[in-house]
Amino acid sequence: ILSFFLCLHKLESQNGLFVFHSSEKSCFSSLSDQRKIFLLLERRFHAKIALALQRKLVIMNTILLFIVAYLLGSIPSGVWIGQLFFKKDIRQFGSGNTGTTNTFRVLGKKAGIVVLLMDILKGTLATSLPVIFGLHTVNPLWFGVCAILGHTFPIFAKFKGGKAVATSAGMLLGYNPLFFIYSSLIFVICLYVTSMVSLTSMIAACLITLSTIVLPFIAPAILPEQNWLLTFIAIGVTIFIFIRHRENITRIKDGTESR
């Protein structure tokens, strides 16, 4: 068997002694030839097992953090704040949405601000998970996407959630704080001009998506390098925001949208 492995690994023979790499030769110089082969094969076999286990561990940790990111996004901030402090289910009032805008209208400014911060924090914390746990093999933006999906389809609220705006902003904060500030300024300016949160969300989403392409060329201090994954996700989120605002678009056309 040892002779077979000897041929398999193409170990050379010189003056009756087997030639190993310098490090291996120094380690096994006092051992018999058969013992040398056995230990060398054992070392290589263990290294392969360790590498395979490490890869499986990375995959398991990645899947686990994806689930955690989704669960963070699934926290229905507006619903819980309404039920705990106001004894109201905001899904039964206003637009019936669980997001920040409906919280402002139904529960007031203080509750709205708290829900806004919580929704942003969900996206930020989810995006920061791979940094917190030292997982460097997956782009943090994917964890932000999981939080966005959790926010819009929350398992804790029968998969009926918000419209992804605040949590998407939180993802940007976790990924690039300067770009988050830039995006927030776009949102505030659009809101000042239109006075409609729904229309502002759609316009701002389009402008932010365009900015992911343009800024690396004209303002690298804000967005240092072109990240096509960020652009791809921004396009997807923008389309999703438009889909979630279908009823708002109809009301805007009819002139009945709330300001």
Side-chain angles (χ1 to χ4, degrees):
I1 295 175
L2 289 175
S3 298
F4 170 76
F5 280 117
L6 175 61
C7 296
L8 184 64
H9 287 268
K10 297 181 180 179
L11 297 174
E12 298 177 356
S13 177
Q14 187 178 60
N15 297 326
L17 295 175
F18 291 99
V19 178
F20 293 79
H21 296 292
S22 58
S23 60
E24 294 167 347
K25 187 174 181 180
S26 61
C27 292
F28 302 130
S29 58
S30 61
L31 300 174
S32 67
D33 294 337
Q34 292 182 352
R35 182 62 175 167
K36 289 179 184 179
I37 298 171
F38 177 77
L39 291 179
L40 176 59
L41 294 176
E42 184 180 33
R43 173 189 291 183
R44 292 177 178 176
F45 180 67
H46 286 171
K48 289 181 180 179
I49 291 180
L51 182 60
L53 290 176
Q54 184 180 17
R55 288 175 179 173
K56 290 183 179 180
L57 184 61
V58 169
I59 293 173
M60 291 176 60
N61 287 340
T62 301
I63 294 173
L64 179 61
L65 289 182
F66 276 144
I67 295 173
V68 172
Y70 169 79
L71 293 177
L72 283 172
S74 290
I75 296 174
S77 311
V79 175
W80 287 1
I81 293 295
Q83 291 176 341
L84 287 175
F85 299 101
F86 297 88
K87 307 304 179 183
K88 287 184 178 181
D89 187 342
I90 63 172
R91 292 171 294 185
Q92 300 176 1
F93 299 90
S95 65
N97 190 265
T98 63
T100 301
T101 303
N102 199 42
T103 304
F104 269 101
R105 292 172 181 165
V106 176
L107 304 179
K109 290 184 178 180
K110 292 183 179 180
I113 292 173
V114 171
V115 171
L116 173 63
L117 294 177
M118 289 180 67
D119 286 347
I120 291 176
L121 181 62
K122 291 190 300 186
T124 303
L125 186 57
T127 307
S128 302
L129 283 176
V131 178
I132 295 172
F133 290 96
L135 184 66
H136 305 295
T137 56
V138 183
N139 194 306
L141 289 171
W142 287 118
F143 296 91
V145 171
C146 288
I148 293 171
L149 291 175
H151 177 73
T152 50
F153 304 106
I155 192 173
F156 302 125
K158 299 180 180 179
F159 301 100
K160 295 180 179 180
K163 297 181 178 179
V165 178
T167 306
S168 298
M171 177 186 68
L172 294 181
L173 177 58
Y175 175 72
N176 186 328
L178 280 179
F179 188 60
F180 166 78
I181 295 173
Y182 166 84
S183 302
S184 299
L185 288 175
I186 290 178
F187 188 91
V188 171
I189 293 172
C190 291
L191 183 59
Y192 178 78
V193 173
T194 67
S195 300
M196 288 185 284
V197 176
S198 56
L199 182 58
T200 294
S201 300
M202 291 183 282
I203 294 175
C206 292
L207 293 176
I208 292 168
T209 299
L210 181 62
S211 297
T212 63
I213 301 174
V214 176
L215 282 183
F217 299 100
I218 64 175
I222 298 176
L223 203 59
E225 59 184 13
Q226 187 72 59
N227 187 332
W228 289 110
L229 177 60
L230 175 62
T231 302
F232 170 76
I233 291 175
I235 292 172
V237 170
T238 299
I239 294 172
F240 193 72
I241 287 175
F242 271 80
I243 293 174
R244 298 288 286 183
H245 284 83
R246 293 191 305 273
E247 296 179 0
N248 302 85
I249 294 173
T250 301
R251 290 195 295 267
I252 291 171
K253 291 180 179 178
D254 297 337
T256 58
E257 177 70 350
S258 302
R259 293 178 178 267

